Amino acid sequence: MSHPETARPTDPVEMTAVELVSAYAAGTLSPVEATEAVLAAITARDTDINAFCLVDPDRALVQAKDSEARWQSGHVRGLLDGVPISIKDIFLTEDWPTRRGSLSIGPEGPWTVDSPVAARVREDGMVMVGKTTTPEIAWKGVTDSPLTGITRNPVDPTRTAGGSSGGSAAAVAGGMGPVSVGTDGGGSVRIPASFCGIVGFKPTHGRIPLYPASPFGPLAHAGPLTRTVEDAALMLDILALPDPRDPTALAPTLTTFRGQIQRDVRGVTAAYSPTLGYVRPDPEVEAIVSGAVRVLEAAGLRVSAADPGFTDPREAFDVMWAAGAAAMLAAFPPGARENADPGLRRVWEHGETLAATDYLDARAVAAQVAITMGTFHTAYDILITPTVPIPAFAAGHDVPPGSGMADWPDWTPYTYPFNLTQQPALSIPAGYTSDGLPVGLQIVGPRHSDDLVLAIGRFAELCLSAAPSAPLAGPC
């Protein structure tokens, strides 16, 4: 059944990327006006949030004016020409420092190379307003660093935005640009998306080319953070274009992701696992996600309760994570260890104790989990879980204060397994706690099923937004 359309926003900082492009095409808004509004929002809001480590208004306005001229001449460059975007300070970006949240990387440069992500954004004509904060070398699930300090959650600035793409999530959630790009090696796109109440997508490994190669290797993905699944699909159409510098990149797709999200997914088989067989989620988080799953079942998904069948692969993840961190940090200059985040120092030291056989043993565990999931997906098209078992906790802490937890993976058990398996995983908003904090729902699909995951995410997004105001008796 259809539902009443909500009024479209007219303030550029509240508009999605799709809405901005529609306004440009209609002549009711220009890229310059949209960029000026985003820059004003950054000036007004980011002192409290700290989402950006670099903002370049002059360069952004030059790009916006060039885009405006293209729209006026009818020669638009790309899908999101003129849409303001931010990029996590992990991606190399020509003419901007890429310091990766580290005091050990100076701003001097020269910075002469665009990563594939930056190159595709630039080629599409998007307006790059700045770079977003990250913990040092993106090593943990919250966003603070000795270089940039603490990044806070726009929903409640006393809380963490999550991480490691917390700056990107906070920028989007805080109205400081409709889209951003982050990295995800253990949940780093999905965790902050869940905490900040937005959409975060980790596509199949290799779908978005990376350069330089990440030291976290097979764990490392890039992905968009947006306000809607449609914007995420459009961003993937841009970011997934080929780049010869990544030998692990996947072949180009034969269709567009945006074109696939509108398809009818009723009848798709979904397994709902609130615990994965070993997680103990916060009861309120579980209740919110379970309620959302019931809405989706009523709307046409065929939902069954089922766990995937693997045990917690945390030990294997820790080995691969520590080995990658140690490999990257070994190239840092003298004194880097003393200047590093104390938690990262511990990971570094652990990584230095590992042998090649330890890493290969961890890779074997990852392969077995992937085989288990492959078999699981012969029975179920998708897996649904909470994204994070807890809501956002106090900013400035690696773990919830008083929890007794030691490290960030202790509270991210739903995300890192699917970096080990390299599967696509999407976080969408599922609801809010009694304290008004967002809760995310995670949709996981088989490798290479990015289009299916996005299509179900779009279906779920529409159903969940409509559910409070209208009964569900058919397609959302």
Side-chain angles (χ1 to χ4, degrees):
M1 70 185 281
S2 61
H3 300 291
E5 288 287 328
T6 56
R8 291 184 177 273
T10 56
D11 184 342
V13 301
E14 297 177 357
M15 297 170 74
T16 67
V18 169
E19 289 167 343
L20 286 174
V21 168
S22 296
Y24 299 163
T28 58
L29 184 69
S30 79
V32 172
E33 292 168 329
T35 301
E36 288 175 338
V38 167
L39 291 170
I42 295 170
T43 298
R45 302 172 186 176
D46 202 42
T47 300
D48 295 329
I49 303 303
N50 190 32
F52 285 86
C53 57
L54 182 152
V55 181
D56 193 338
D58 293 338
R59 192 179 301 271
L61 287 170
V62 168
Q63 294 173 38
K65 289 173 183 175
D66 290 344
S67 174
E68 182 177 67
R70 291 192 294 272
W71 279 100
Q72 290 173 346
S73 68
H75 295 91
V76 179
R77 180 182 293 172
L79 298 172
L80 296 178
D81 197 333
V83 172
I85 185 172
S86 57
I87 297 176
K88 184 179 181 179
D89 193 33
I90 290 294
F91 300 107
L92 290 178
T93 311
E94 186 178 1
D95 295 330
W96 284 348
T98 301
R99 301 189 65 184
R100 300 181 175 90
S102 179
L103 291 169
S104 297
I105 300 175
E108 300 83 11
W111 306 102
T112 58
V113 175
D114 267 340
S115 63
V117 162
R120 299 296 88 77
V121 165
R122 203 183 300 277
E123 290 162 4
D124 195 75
M126 299 184 76
V127 176
M128 295 191 287
V129 297
K131 303 194 81 173
T132 55
T133 53
T134 175
E136 192 165 10
I137 72 164
W139 81 273
K140 60 182 176 179
V142 296
T143 301
D144 60 64
S145 75
L147 178 65
T148 59
I150 299 170
T151 296
R152 299 177 180 275
N153 194 322
V155 178
D156 178 353
T158 69
R159 309 280 181 142
T160 179
S164 64
S165 304
S168 289
V172 173
M176 295 178 281
V179 293
S180 190
V181 190
T183 59
D184 189 317
S188 291
V189 163
R190 292 160 288 155
I191 294 163
S194 179
F195 279 1
C196 292
I198 62 169
V199 173
F201 185 46
K202 177 187 79 70
T204 301
H205 185 268
R207 176 53 59 205
I208 297 175
L210 295 175
Y211 175 84
S214 171
F216 299 111
L219 300 175
H221 303 60
L225 295 108
T226 63
R227 296 184 195 136
T228 66
V229 175
E230 185 176 25
D231 277 4
L234 260 175
M235 283 298 300
L236 191 57
D237 281 328
I238 295 166
L239 299 175
L241 293 172
D243 192 290
R245 295 172 291 175
D246 186 349
T248 69
L250 300 178
T253 60
L254 300 177
T255 59
T256 67
F257 293 104
R258 188 189 183 193
Q260 290 294 310
I261 63 171
Q262 307 295 343
R263 71 184 197 247
D264 188 357
V265 296
R266 289 171 298 168
V268 164
T269 58
Y272 173 47
S273 177
T275 70
L276 289 181
Y278 53 83
V279 182
R280 302 174 73 177
D282 175 273
E284 190 173 16
V285 168
E286 183 177 353
I288 290 167
V289 176
S290 294
V293 170
R294 287 193 295 272
V295 170
L296 302 184
E297 185 175 20
L301 289 190
R302 295 168 55 196
V303 180
S304 301
D307 295 330
F310 57 79
T311 57
D312 188 355
R314 167 70 183 278
E315 185 176 351
F317 175 79
D318 283 350
V319 167
M320 293 176 67
W321 195 251
M328 184 173 195
L329 292 164
F332 274 36
R337 194 183 302 265
E338 291 72 24
N339 290 329
D341 180 314
L344 177 58
R345 259 199 318 269
R346 292 194 299 273
V347 173
W348 187 351
E349 290 163 359
H350 174 47
E352 289 177 325
T353 70
L354 298 172
T357 52
D358 296 320
Y359 185 81
L360 292 175
D361 288 344
R363 288 293 302 269
V365 171
Q368 186 54 57
V369 176
I371 291 168
T372 300
M373 284 304 301
T375 302
F376 182 77
H377 283 299
T378 63
Y380 301 100
D381 296 314
I382 61 162
L383 169 67
I384 299 175
T385 74
T387 306
V388 187
I390 56 174
F393 51 88
H397 300 270
D398 288 359
V399 300
S403 66
M405 297 179 183
D407 297 298
W408 68 270
D410 291 342
W411 54 267
T412 61
Y414 295 113
T415 54
Y416 61 75
F418 305 110
N419 292 83
L420 291 168
T421 63
Q422 305 186 345
Q423 294 172 247
L426 173 73
S427 180
I428 64 168
Y432 291 84
T433 68
S434 56
D435 290 334
L437 297 174
V439 171
L441 176 151
Q442 180 175 232
I443 301 167
V444 182
R447 276 172 51 88
H448 311 296
S449 68
D450 306 87
D451 55 340
L452 174 65
V453 170
L454 288 166
I456 294 172
R458 176 62 171 161
F459 174 82
E461 180 180 63
L462 293 173
C463 292
L464 296 176
S465 64
S469 60
L472 292 165
C476 301

